[in-house]
Amino acid sequence: PASLSIWGWGGLGVVLFLVTFGPFAIFYLAFYIFCFIGGGFAVTLLYGKINSEKHLEKCEHSYLPPTQIGILKTLDEMKLEMKPIKIDRRLTGSSFIDEPLQQVIQFALRDYIQYWYYTLSEDESFLLEIRQTLQNALVQFSTRSKEVDWQPYFTTRLVDDFATHLRVFRKAQDRLGDREDKLSTYDLMESFFEAEVEMERKICRDVVCTSHKDEEGFLRDLCELLLYLLLPPGDFHNKNMRYFLREVLARGVLLPLINQLSDPDYINQFVIWMIRDNSCNYEAFMNILKLTDKPAELEAVRDKVLEELQFLRSLDTAGDDINVIKNQINSLLFVKKVCETRIQRLQSGKEVDAFKLAANFGKLCVIPLDHILVHNIALQFFMDFMQAAGAQAELFFWLTVEGYRVTAQQQLEAMQSWQKDGKKQPSDTKGLLKAAALGVYEQYLSDKASPRVQVDEASLTRLGEKLRKDDPTPEIFDEIQRKVYDMMLRDERYYPSFKQSPLYVRMLAELDMLKEPSYRGSDDGDGESFNGSPTGSINLVTDACLPGFWGAAGVCNDHGKTYALYTITVVRRNQDGSEDAWKTYRRYSDFHDFHMRITEQFENLASILKLPGKKTFNNMDRDFLEKRKKDLNAYLQLLLNPEMVKACPTLIPYVYDFLENKAYSKGKGEFARKIDTFVNPLRSSMRNVSNAVKAFPDSLAEGVTKVSDNMGRMSEKLGQDIKQSILKVPPILPKSEIDPEHCRVSAQLDDNVDDNIPLRVMLLLMDEVFDLKEKNQWLRRNIKNLLQQLIRATYGDTINRKIVDHVDYLTSPEQVADYVKRFRDSYWPNGILAETPPRRDKNIRMRTRVAAKTSLLGIMPDELKHIIGADTTRKGILRVFDMFQYQPMNRRLVYVFLEGFLETMFPQYKFPELFVKLHSRSPRIHRYNQKLKSTSLKR
């Protein structure tokens, strides 16, 4: 019964449990029991593990030796390194520069390191170390740059490197100039680097500039050296850090930068951007189309012209706009025809020499001999012709007498002023004058003269008696000089033959007076068009009028010739009080012709009336036309001033004839006006031979030697003797002869010249750009003197000071900060890394070439053409442009600039010797050294 009661009560409990909790309660109960047992088991394991670790730790301390002190210190230092690194944001000491520079560092780390580093680790200590290392390097760089005087580098070294690079390029062109077959880029590169070896002797950069692999190796070596100079020793000796920074600098910074700076298309765009303020010159544009030998450039221009023609023809216009569009279409058709004709000539191989083509196209202009003798450019060609004819003695005698006359007058005027002021004068002045006159006589007229000027014996006898008996006067040689001039003028061997020679045609080309078979724009629209030109009506644009005689300037296009037309509103008051008014249209050439006529008839007007000057470049610029309009209006107002009319009553008919509403009949021909345009500026601003001598000499003898350079040892020695006796100047020591073709440009600096270095180097650069060494020595020195005068007339006597001040401005903190900001904005516009721009289309690049050449040719001042010649100016500018169209050459120039910068930055280190070693991989250096050895053995 007891067991029954147990089962009974047990069963009852189960039934009640199932009724109360449901049929699945048994499963919950089992689950709860399982969790209870499992939890107890887990607690037991955890308690046993903890007790076991404590027991093992007690065993280690009991049986192992104690921990070393070094390990504990290392652990402490590692704990300290985990602390945040404090970055000092000061870099250069100038807040203007530090702020944008910190942004550049931040952007560079973000876009070149962080994007891949965070995929490896989230620990930022490495990034902070990199930033701290870069800042340390920049601080060292900034500190070093502040200790360097940058003026010699920017005013001398930089210009010298560029001029020397141009000299190497010119030598390479000259070597290949005689080849009749078409030259390839490879031939030019080979010739260029051969010329570099001859110039530098120990360095040739051909391997670095032509091999991508060698270029990367060179940059790695250079960057590792810079890191050694700029990084703390601890960072540099960390190989991982050093190699990492080296690769970033070499391949991430320097190589892309050099690729961009050496890209010809980038350079052409930069040239256009630099000259963006100057409007495009139509004359320069047509000259470029005429001179280019690249069919791709002409095809690109033609294709663009076709696009513009298609657009203009699609416009639906009426009224006045239709005339404007017709003129534009006609002009574009003319450009298209010029391009197609030029392409056909180049592709057919029938290109004709421009001089021969111009010489055979019509009658050449005749320039009088007296104009040639006072024109520097024309005189050069006549001097070369006379030397070839063996008659240089006659021409040199004429020039020497001109110099003697001016310097003698100068000395005698000085004597008279001394006498008036009661000052003490040199007692031997007359004796020096007589010695100089005897020197001229002995050199050209005596029996010992070789060669001797051929004149009649009677004139020589009279001159000899004057020299023996009388004191020499400035006019003592005038009689014989006139006879020599007549002989050069009338003798068929001299001036008449010169007019039939190729030198005469080249002279006309330099004077820009050839009738060439292509479009020629000019200031007054007198250009010739022989290949056909567009026809169209005149498009006149009238400006606001001024009171009185109102000149309203309009730009006209008539048969392909662009010129300015001026409207003169004339108001004439009659005696009865009535007024007559009319408008007259005149071109600048009409004003020029009118001015020449009245100044010939009334010579006293020449010093009062000043006609606005002629301008070849940018003569259609709006501001220039506005200025000329005001000047011409002032010219007419002065001409009709009551006092002027009273002083010259016979002038009125000429003025009325000019102002009548009719076609103006020019009294002077086109040639006469061109001669006046070219000769008068020389007489007034650039000086003829006599004025040039008068402007420069310090004594009589220096004037003689400046006019007749290297015309005889006697006059040279006489010049130094007189200069020493009058000015007490020590004798000039002879300099060692330097072959200008195998040395740097700066090696030709004359230590005896008083000018400071910057201006002298700039003149040497101009000498190299325009290849003035091809001129004869007398003309070359005269041209350099005139260039020096032109620069000083433009910038004043403080030109060197202004150059230095400009360099100081360019290197000031504000400007450096501006450079950093421009770099930041160009690489990270709006804080985002700029995408690599795609390579531009070939036609766009070719049109950019044409635009860059046009811009360069258009900014050349008219005065420069008058000094060195129009053709020489064009050739010099185009030579500089062609030099920048080859990327290996551009890379060479970039590396030369970089090497010069580092040599200036770290003068205490032997960078020149280092660069010799880095460039020693070139096989050309080894071949050149072997050639030198074989040449020395043969000797």
Side-chain angles (χ1 to χ4, degrees):
S3 60
L4 181 63
S5 63
I6 295 173
W7 284 103
W9 287 106
L12 181 63
V14 170
V15 172
L16 293 175
F17 178 82
L18 292 174
V19 173
T20 305
F21 298 102
F24 297 99
I26 188 63
F27 297 105
Y28 292 113
L29 180 62
F31 176 74
Y32 295 151
I33 294 172
F34 176 78
C35 290
F36 176 77
I37 296 172
F41 182 73
V43 171
T44 303
L45 287 178
L46 182 61
Y47 177 78
K49 180 178 180 297
I50 294 174
N51 289 336
S52 298
E53 289 178 351
K54 291 181 178 180
H55 178 71
L56 289 175
E57 186 177 356
K58 292 179 180 180
C59 292
E60 287 180 359
H61 287 286
S62 301
Y63 303 105
L64 294 178
T67 306
Q68 297 293 330
I69 300 177
I71 297 177
L72 296 176
K73 289 186 176 181
T74 302
L75 293 174
D76 293 339
E77 290 181 0
M78 292 177 65
K79 292 178 181 179
L80 291 176
E81 288 182 356
M82 298 303 294
K83 295 180 180 179
I85 301 176
K86 295 182 179 180
I87 301 294
D88 188 357
R89 302 182 64 85
R90 294 175 298 177
L91 298 174
T92 64
S94 173
S95 58
F96 298 105
I97 306 175
D98 290 351
E99 182 179 353
L101 198 57
Q102 285 288 353
Q103 292 179 342
V104 169
I105 295 175
Q106 180 181 350
F107 292 154
L109 291 175
R110 180 194 67 190
D111 295 326
Y112 290 104
I113 298 177
Q114 290 180 3
Y115 82 95
W116 58 263
Y117 176 75
Y118 281 139
T119 62
L120 302 177
S121 173
E122 295 182 358
D123 185 7
E124 296 189 356
S125 60
F126 175 76
L127 298 177
L128 294 176
E129 288 287 351
I130 290 289
R131 186 180 188 117
Q132 186 65 48
T133 301
L134 288 176
Q135 294 197 170
N136 290 337
L138 288 174
V139 170
Q140 291 294 328
F141 182 86
S142 173
T143 303
R144 182 61 204 146
S145 63
K146 293 177 182 178
E147 299 173 357
V148 176
D149 182 11
W150 290 105
Q151 292 177 4
Y153 173 75
F154 286 105
T155 60
T156 304
R157 176 65 185 266
L158 202 66
V159 182
D160 175 46
D161 287 339
F162 178 81
T164 303
H165 183 81
L166 180 61
R167 173 174 293 180
V168 175
F169 176 71
R170 181 176 52 79
K171 287 183 62 179
Q173 282 187 320
D174 294 342
R175 288 183 175 184
L176 302 176
D178 298 332
R179 291 180 51 172
E180 296 181 357
D181 56 330
K182 189 175 181 180
L183 299 177
S184 64
T185 303
Y186 175 79
D187 296 330
L188 185 59
M189 292 301 102
E190 289 291 309
S191 178
F192 177 83
F193 287 111
E194 289 291 341
E196 184 191 20
V197 173
E198 297 178 0
M199 184 79 68
E200 301 283 355
R201 289 184 172 84
K202 296 181 180 181
I203 289 181
C204 184
R205 302 172 180 85
D206 56 342
V207 174
V208 174
C209 297
T210 56
S211 172
H212 184 71
K213 180 179 179 181
D214 291 309
E215 182 179 21
E216 287 187 353
F218 174 80
L219 289 176
R220 287 192 183 100
D221 294 339
L222 191 60
C223 289
E224 191 158 355
L225 177 62
L226 291 177
L227 291 176
Y228 171 76
L229 297 176
L230 298 176
L231 292 182
D235 292 337
F236 178 79
H237 292 298
N238 185 340
K239 290 186 178 181
N240 294 332
M241 177 73 71
R242 184 170 81 241
Y243 293 158
F244 176 78
L245 290 178
R246 184 191 68 181
E247 292 300 316
V248 170
L249 288 176
R251 303 191 61 181
V253 179
L254 289 181
L255 191 58
L257 182 62
I258 293 172
N259 288 335
Q260 184 177 24
L261 294 179
S262 61
D263 182 17
D265 187 52
Y266 173 80
I267 295 175
N268 295 336
Q269 295 179 64
F270 183 75
V271 168
I272 297 173
W273 178 80
M274 287 289 292
I275 318 176
R276 61 190 182 279
D277 294 334
N278 291 336
S279 58
C280 182
N281 185 284
Y282 191 61
E283 179 188 6
F285 174 67
M286 298 307 298
N287 279 334
I288 292 301
L289 296 183
K290 175 187 66 178
L291 295 172
T292 183
D293 58 351
K294 305 291 184 184
E297 295 180 2
L298 296 167
E299 292 171 355
V301 174
R302 182 196 59 188
D303 293 344
K304 187 64 176 178
V305 168
L306 292 176
E307 291 180 12
E308 292 295 324
L309 284 173
Q310 185 177 4
F311 172 74
L312 290 175
R313 286 168 176 166
S314 66
L315 296 178
D316 185 14
T317 56
D320 296 335
D321 293 338
I322 192 66
N323 293 326
V324 176
I325 293 178
K326 283 184 177 179
N327 285 334
Q328 293 177 352
I329 291 176
N330 288 331
S331 298
L332 291 173
L333 288 173
F334 176 60
V335 174
K336 174 176 171 289
K337 184 176 182 180
V338 171
C339 292
E340 291 177 344
T341 303
R342 183 73 176 157
I343 292 172
Q344 184 178 3
R345 286 181 182 175
L346 292 173
Q347 292 179 345
S348 63
K350 297 180 180 179
E351 181 66 12
V352 184
D353 182 79
F355 294 141
K356 295 179 181 178
L357 197 63
N360 297 328
F361 199 81
K363 185 177 179 181
L364 297 176
C365 298
V366 178
I367 300 181
L369 179 60
D370 57 338
H371 290 166
I372 291 176
L373 293 177
V374 299
H375 196 299
N376 286 310
I377 300 171
L379 179 59
Q380 169 206 350
F381 293 97
F382 186 60
M383 188 178 294
D384 292 341
F385 176 82
M386 294 292 283
Q387 287 179 332
Q392 65 269 25
E394 283 75 10
L395 178 59
F396 288 164
F397 170 76
W398 190 92
L399 294 172
T400 304
V401 170
E402 285 292 300
Y404 170 82
R405 180 189 300 112
V406 173
T407 49
Q409 289 175 350
Q410 187 179 15
Q411 294 295 321
L412 292 177
E413 290 174 359
M415 289 177 56
Q416 294 175 0
S417 64
W418 287 334
Q419 291 175 356
K420 290 181 180 179
D421 297 338
K423 297 180 180 179
K424 184 179 180 181
Q425 61 183 11
S427 58
D428 56 349
T429 301
K430 292 184 178 180
L432 294 174
L433 288 174
K434 189 168 185 177
L438 288 173
V440 175
Y441 177 83
E442 292 291 336
Q443 185 174 348
Y444 296 105
L445 303 174
S446 67
D447 296 333
K448 300 178 182 179
S450 178
R452 185 186 182 192
V453 177
Q454 300 299 321
V455 291
D456 61 281
E457 292 297 331
S459 299
L460 289 178
T461 302
R462 289 194 295 272
L463 176 62
E465 292 178 356
K466 291 180 180 179
L467 290 174
R468 286 192 299 270
K469 296 180 180 179
D470 304 331
D471 291 333
T473 62
E475 299 81 14
I476 193 171
F477 293 103
D478 284 5
E479 178 186 357
I480 297 180
Q481 188 190 30
R482 282 193 296 269
K483 292 184 177 182
V484 171
Y485 175 83
D486 292 338
M487 178 176 61
M488 291 190 295
L489 178 65
R490 294 181 172 84
D491 195 317
E492 289 295 330
R493 298 172 297 170
Y494 305 141
Y495 177 66
S497 296
F498 174 63
K499 292 188 294 184
Q500 307 299 323
S501 68
L503 285 173
Y504 187 78
V505 180
R506 290 181 57 194
M507 179 191 72
L508 293 180
E510 290 286 10
L511 298 178
D512 212 14
M513 298 178 67
L514 275 180
K515 296 180 179 180
E516 300 172 88
S518 62
Y519 176 85
R520 284 175 49 80
S522 69
D523 183 58
D524 51 13
D526 291 332
E528 301 288 339
S529 177
F530 298 102
N531 282 339
S533 59
T535 58
S537 60
I538 292 178
N539 174 30
L540 179 63
V541 181
T542 304
D543 295 339
C545 297
L546 300 174
F549 293 89
W550 306 316
V555 178
C556 306
N557 188 308
D558 186 16
H559 294 277
K561 296 178 289 186
T562 303
Y563 55 88
L565 192 66
Y566 299 91
T567 303
I568 307 174
T569 301
V570 185
V571 179
R572 181 174 61 188
R573 294 181 179 85
N574 301 318
Q575 293 181 353
D576 58 358
S578 61
E579 292 184 351
D580 297 329
W582 65 88
K583 291 185 178 181
T584 301
Y585 299 93
R586 294 288 181 259
R587 292 159 58 176
Y588 177 80
S589 59
D590 300 331
F591 279 94
H592 192 189
D593 183 89
F594 172 68
H595 181 76
M596 291 176 62
R597 292 175 65 183
I598 62 176
T599 52
E600 286 182 1
Q601 293 292 328
F602 309 94
E603 296 182 357
N604 58 331
L605 292 180
S607 60
I608 302 174
L609 286 174
K610 300 297 181 182
L611 186 69
K614 186 180 179 69
K615 183 181 181 184
T616 301
F617 300 123
N618 297 328
N619 45 55
M620 294 297 110
D621 181 70
R622 193 67 186 171
D623 295 336
F624 171 74
L625 291 178
E626 184 68 23
K627 181 178 183 301
R628 174 175 279 181
K629 181 183 70 175
K630 295 179 181 179
D631 293 341
L632 291 176
N633 185 62
Y635 175 86
L636 291 175
Q637 295 283 7
L638 178 61
L639 194 61
L640 289 179
N641 187 283
E643 296 183 0
M644 181 76 73
V645 174
K646 183 178 179 181
C648 303
T650 56
L651 176 66
I652 298 301
Y654 291 92
V655 179
Y656 283 173
D657 179 69
F658 179 74
L659 297 177
E660 284 292 332
N661 186 11
K662 63 179 181 179
Y664 180 66
S665 177
K666 291 185 172 67
K668 299 289 182 180
E670 175 186 345
F671 168 71
R673 286 184 283 108
K674 283 195 172 185
I675 283 291
D676 182 74
T677 300
F678 280 102
V679 174
N680 280 345
L682 288 168
R683 290 173 174 165
S684 61
S685 62
M686 292 189 298
R687 299 181 176 88
N688 55 21
V689 176
S690 302
N691 290 333
V693 174
K694 187 175 182 179
F696 297 121
D698 298 323
S699 68
L700 167 66
E702 189 181 6
V704 174
T705 55
K706 281 191 176 181
V707 175
S708 54
D709 184 29
N710 295 329
M711 295 182 186
R713 296 180 179 178
M714 178 180 294
S715 61
E716 184 177 354
K717 183 176 183 302
L718 176 67
Q720 290 195 17
D721 292 342
I722 297 177
K723 187 170 183 179
Q724 292 176 45
S725 60
I726 293 181
L727 302 177
K728 307 300 181 183
V729 176
I732 299 176
L733 298 177
K735 295 185 65 175
S736 60
E737 294 295 331
I738 300 176
D739 185 1
E741 294 301 309
H742 294 86
C743 66
R744 297 181 65 87
V745 172
S746 60
Q748 299 173 253
L749 286 174
D750 187 0
D751 296 333
N752 293 306
V753 179
D754 293 334
D755 292 321
N756 292 330
I757 293 294
L759 178 59
R760 292 157 61 186
V761 175
M762 292 296 294
L763 292 174
L764 285 176
L765 174 61
M766 297 187 71
D767 191 355
E768 199 63 38
V769 169
F770 300 108
D771 201 11
L772 300 183
K773 292 176 291 300
E774 294 298 321
K775 317 287 184 182
N776 58 65
Q777 291 299 314
W778 177 86
L779 184 66
R780 181 189 178 195
R781 187 162 65 178
N782 202 19
I783 286 177
K784 293 182 72 173
N785 287 333
L786 290 172
L787 288 174
Q788 188 170 349
Q789 279 197 332
L790 176 62
I791 294 174
R792 283 181 169 166
T794 305
Y795 299 101
D797 293 333
T798 60
I799 175 63
N800 289 287
R801 182 68 258 171
K802 290 186 177 182
I803 293 175
V804 172
D805 290 343
H806 189 62
V807 171
D808 290 339
Y809 168 74
L810 293 177
T811 55
S812 63
E814 292 79 9
Q815 285 300 111
V816 173
D818 186 62
Y819 304 149
V820 177
K821 290 178 182 178
R822 291 187 180 184
F823 174 79
R824 177 199 63 192
D825 296 338
S826 61
Y827 271 78
W828 291 278
N830 299 320
I832 301 174
L833 182 64
E835 297 182 358
T836 302
R839 184 171 176 81
R840 304 202 309 163
D841 180 73
K842 180 181 178 181
N843 279 349
I844 297 178
R845 288 186 280 116
M846 290 298 104
R847 288 197 295 270
T848 304
R849 284 169 57 104
V850 175
K853 285 192 283 188
T854 302
S855 300
L856 285 173
L857 201 60
I859 64 169
M860 287 298 102
D862 197 36
E863 293 79 7
L864 187 64
K865 290 175 54 180
H866 288 163
I867 293 176
I868 64 177
D871 194 58
T872 297
T873 302
R874 284 192 292 266
K875 287 181 178 178
I877 294 302
L878 294 180
R879 180 186 295 115
V880 174
F881 176 82
D882 290 339
M883 181 185 69
F884 285 116
Q885 303 313 305
Y886 302 94
Q887 190 160 15
M889 294 184 187
N890 297 338
R891 300 183 93 85
R892 188 259 178 194
L893 184 60
V894 172
Y895 282 118
V896 167
F897 286 161
L898 178 61
E899 293 168 11
F901 175 82
L902 294 177
E903 291 176 14
T904 306
M905 186 77 174
F906 304 99
Q908 69 273 30
Y909 300 103
K910 298 180 180 180
F911 265 97
E913 298 178 6
L914 174 66
F915 289 129
V916 171
K917 292 181 181 179
L918 291 177
H919 293 297
S920 60
R921 305 186 189 97
S922 173
R924 282 189 172 86
I925 297 178
H926 301 293
R927 291 198 298 265
Y928 180 75
N929 292 333
Q930 291 176 358
K931 182 180 178 181
L932 290 180
K933 291 180 181 178
S934 60
T935 304
S936 61
L937 291 176
K938 290 180 180 180
R939 293 180 180 177

